[in-house]
Amino acid sequence: MPHKDLREFLDKLEAEGELKRIKAEVDWNLELSHVAKLNEDQEGGAALLFENVKDYPGKAVLTSLLTSKKRVALALDMPPDTRFTDIAGQWVERMSGTRIPPQMVDSGPCQENVLEGDKANLYDLPAPWVYPLDGGRYVGTAAYLISRDPETGRINLGTYRTMIIDEQRAGIQIIKAKDADMDLIKYEKMGQEMPVALVTGCDPVLFLCSSTMFPVQESEYDIAGALRGEPVEVVRGVTVDLPIPATAEWVIEGVITPGEKLPEGPFGEYTGYYSGTGSHNREFIKVKAITHRNDPIFWATTVGKPVTDTHMIMGINRTSSLWNDLKNMGIPGIKSVYGPPASAGRFLAIISVEQMYPGHSTQVGLAAFATHTGNYGLKTVILVDDDIDPENMDQVIYALSFRYQPDRGTQILRRGRDTPLDPSVDIPQRGMTSRVIIDATIPYEWEEKPIPIELDPDVEAKVRKKWKEYGFES
Ligand SMILES: Cc1cc2nc3c(=O)[nH]c(=O)nc-3n(C[C@H](O)[C@H](O)[C@H](O)COP(=O)(O)O)c2cc1C
């Protein structure tokens, strides 16, 4: 059964021993993020619910919700021990069914408290200050912006970091060509403001979807419905005509005026570096209303060096969407796809292929860069044969050591779209990257292939039978 809201998921985590409540007072100013990061650095650190945030009685902050593979599996309603690539495989499977659009309901707890006009104040949210050189407090990390395509009516949910500028304005980093950017361009042409809602605190599947690279025409609501197997219940916004998840914890309603910009950032990013050396002029939300549940829970991600929950979230959603994109291209033989969380699932992908014709593995490598997901910032594709498990680093290194020939197996592509956050690119050049295919497969066309060593089956059977006689326990 999908989770009705964030609270139901937290109950599940608590029952699994995966949630820790912090009762001691913690300052939103750096202390909270530092507790969260240090906890994440400990293998197996639980999700944290800060119940006593300085200056914010009754307003809890949640971090590290999806930092472990186990919690990602639970969020998607799968057994806790599901392997990462199997979670992605099941995601792809669920995507192959029909989309399930959201269901409009008359009311929802997200509007239990409504603050409109002058009463709406962004400093009412317990938004943390995360890293020392950040440009401000971030109200949007585990959040998503809802917008509508004014021509087609498609509703988009997109995660774009959002910084408080003052009581009623929040700067937002919508990177060029992201879906909300496409929507905004249309509003600009029409000479209109874009109505938006920024949401935090919901069924985690919605957040997993809002941070996934789906084709611009598709609504994340419909995809979340397909992944959940049930529609997302939505209510109409108080001041904006947009569908809002009925059980959301916090909702900021407002407008973005195309062309109007204010400084936002820098922000300590998931790359382990600040996003730049200073702030940038960016679009901002003008707040019209803030609504929230009683005893609201503010959900924030951690960022910085891997592996944080941001890496794990992007790891699963980029792995799944790259795999799904490749599947939709109809290329045969793709056995498994893995975007390691340490690369945020996006800079590097390992793909195993059952080769069926000469050039097959190269086709997969080139295709990965051409997909909607891979086109944006994927830099390295490692190709392995289907006997190699991409999630098993020993096996991948084995293939790189004993099957890969650098001159034959390396192909460099000079120019491709990149995230402006990539610290391996000189700051003025950011936005474009080179790419590399590392083909660690045995060439299909070789007539004489290396002969793999296998154990002699008769001797193996005999040895297994006598196993305990050799003094082994099991
Ligand atoms: C925690 C987190 C923060 C993110 N911050 C940004 C951001 O500031 N700007 C951005 O364009 N994408 C950001 N992304 C990536 C986008 O969410 C992702 O590209 C998504 O596909 C955007 O939605 P869209 O495809 O509907 O445009 C972030 C992802 C995560 C998980």
Side-chain angles (χ1 to χ4, degrees):
M1 285 287 285
H3 307 105
K4 147 172 130 270
D5 58 9
L6 181 63
R7 297 173 190 209
E8 201 173 279
F9 182 53
L10 293 182
D11 288 345
K12 186 195 263 186
L13 291 187
E14 196 151 34
E16 291 272 341
E18 289 286 321
L19 178 77
K20 186 171 172 52
R21 294 174 186 271
I22 310 274
K23 308 258 180 218
E25 185 183 83
V26 177
D27 197 333
W28 52 265
N29 190 3
L30 294 176
E31 186 184 7
L32 189 149
S33 63
H34 286 55
V35 174
K37 181 74 175 97
L38 290 171
N39 168 64
E40 282 190 351
D41 288 348
Q42 292 173 2
E43 191 84 5
L48 300 181
L49 190 63
F50 295 89
E51 294 184 324
N52 185 1
V53 179
K54 185 166 176 260
D55 306 328
Y56 291 93
K59 294 175 180 171
V61 176
L62 173 70
T63 67
S64 313
L65 190 66
L66 299 173
T67 316
S68 71
K69 294 179 183 178
K70 181 176 177 183
R71 296 201 286 275
V72 170
L74 289 169
L76 286 157
D77 206 20
M78 294 177 195
D81 54 356
T82 312
R83 296 182 75 234
F84 203 71
T85 44
D86 291 336
I87 300 174
Q90 286 192 49
W91 174 310
V92 172
E93 192 58 39
R94 290 184 194 179
M95 289 277 297
S96 65
T98 46
R99 302 288 182 260
I100 303 181
Q103 191 181 355
M104 186 62 79
V105 293
D106 292 338
S107 63
C110 68
Q111 291 167 352
E112 279 166 346
N113 302 272
V114 177
L115 302 152
E116 271 187 83
D118 290 348
K119 293 204 181 80
N121 181 350
L122 289 168
Y123 292 111
D124 279 351
L125 285 88
W129 191 300
V130 182
Y131 280 110
L133 302 184
D134 287 354
R137 295 172 65 178
Y138 273 78
V139 72
T141 52
Y144 48 85
L145 190 80
I146 303 179
S147 60
R148 175 185 278 114
D149 180 326
E151 287 169 4
T152 66
R154 182 277 286 121
I155 297 292
N156 189 66
L157 274 56
T159 295
Y160 318 110
R161 75 179 194 213
T162 310
M163 185 191 93
I164 298 179
I165 295 172
D166 57 28
E167 286 79 356
Q168 297 211 319
R169 293 183 299 180
I172 185 160
Q173 176 189 243
I174 307 170
I175 291 171
K176 277 312 296 165
K178 295 289 177 100
D179 295 359
D181 179 55
M182 304 297 218
D183 291 349
L184 195 62
I185 289 169
K186 293 186 180 176
Y187 283 95
E188 183 163 27
K189 282 194 183 140
M190 291 159 53
Q192 288 179 15
E193 295 174 319
M194 178 164 85
V196 294
L198 186 78
V199 174
T200 182
C202 52
D203 171 1
V205 173
L206 276 170
F207 178 56
L208 283 171
C209 287
S210 68
S211 52
T212 304
M213 303 273 307
F214 294 120
V216 64
Q217 305 84 357
E218 288 226 55
S219 174
E220 284 78 5
Y221 269 139
D222 302 357
I223 298 169
L227 289 178
R228 301 171 83 241
E230 271 182 24
V232 179
E233 289 197 345
V234 291
V235 293
R236 202 168 299 284
V238 175
T239 60
V240 289
D241 181 17
L242 289 169
I244 314 282
T247 59
E249 297 286 335
W250 285 99
V251 183
I252 298 165
E253 299 184 0
V255 292
I256 296 180
T257 308
E260 281 189 17
K261 293 187 180 182
L262 284 172
E264 182 271 347
F267 184 56
E269 275 286 355
Y270 69 91
T271 57
Y273 295 91
Y274 286 95
S275 49
T277 48
S279 60
H280 282 88
N281 283 334
R282 298 197 202 281
E283 282 82 17
F284 57 93
I285 303 170
K286 287 182 206 163
V287 178
K288 292 171 90 175
I290 295 176
T291 76
H292 65 86
R293 291 181 70 153
N294 294 334
D295 305 318
I297 300 170
F298 181 90
W299 180 10
T301 62
T302 48
V303 268
K305 292 191 181 123
V307 173
T308 69
D309 57 350
T310 302
H311 299 91
M312 195 60 78
I313 290 157
M314 290 173 91
I316 196 59
N317 68 29
R318 301 290 161 130
T319 296
S320 309
S321 65
L322 177 61
W323 196 341
N324 196 51
D325 292 351
L326 286 167
K327 184 179 162 213
N328 289 341
M329 285 169 120
I331 303 168
I334 293 170
K335 187 143 180 239
S336 184
V337 176
Y338 182 50
S343 81
R346 59 165 315 171
F347 289 106
L348 182 146
I350 306 163
I351 306 175
S352 65
V353 193
E354 183 189 351
Q355 297 185 78
M356 298 174 187
Y357 42 87
H360 190 168
S361 56
T362 305
Q363 180 192 16
V364 174
L366 291 170
F369 291 132
T371 58
H372 182 59
T373 305
N375 176 49
Y376 181 50
L378 179 60
K379 289 195 291 191
T380 304
V381 172
I382 299 175
L383 297 159
V384 292
D385 287 298
D386 62 326
D387 61 332
I388 300 290
D389 172 6
E391 198 175 335
N392 182 324
M393 281 313 112
D394 282 347
Q395 290 189 16
V396 172
I397 288 168
Y398 169 79
L400 286 169
S401 305
F402 300 109
R403 297 183 184 176
Y404 169 63
Q405 254 297 304
D407 68 343
R408 180 192 68 231
T410 315
Q411 301 205 52
I412 292 181
L413 300 152
R414 305 262 160 229
R415 279 165 64 76
R417 183 179 172 222
D418 195 16
T419 165
L421 299 175
D422 183 351
S424 72
V425 181
D426 190 14
I427 289 176
Q429 312 300 326
R430 286 195 185 168
M432 296 294 282
T433 182
S434 56
R435 309 187 194 282
V436 62
I437 296 175
I438 297 177
D439 191 337
T441 61
I442 296 173
Y444 177 86
E445 63 278 15
W446 279 5
E447 283 189 7
E448 277 188 290
K449 297 202 169 67
I451 303 167
I453 302 172
E454 307 286 357
L455 295 179
D456 181 275
D458 293 340
V459 179
E460 185 186 347
K462 231 185 267 168
V463 166
R464 285 195 184 282
K465 233 173 161 179
K466 284 176 65 182
W467 196 242
K468 288 203 173 141
E469 285 179 39
Y470 304 123
F472 296 115
E473 300 273 304
S474 60

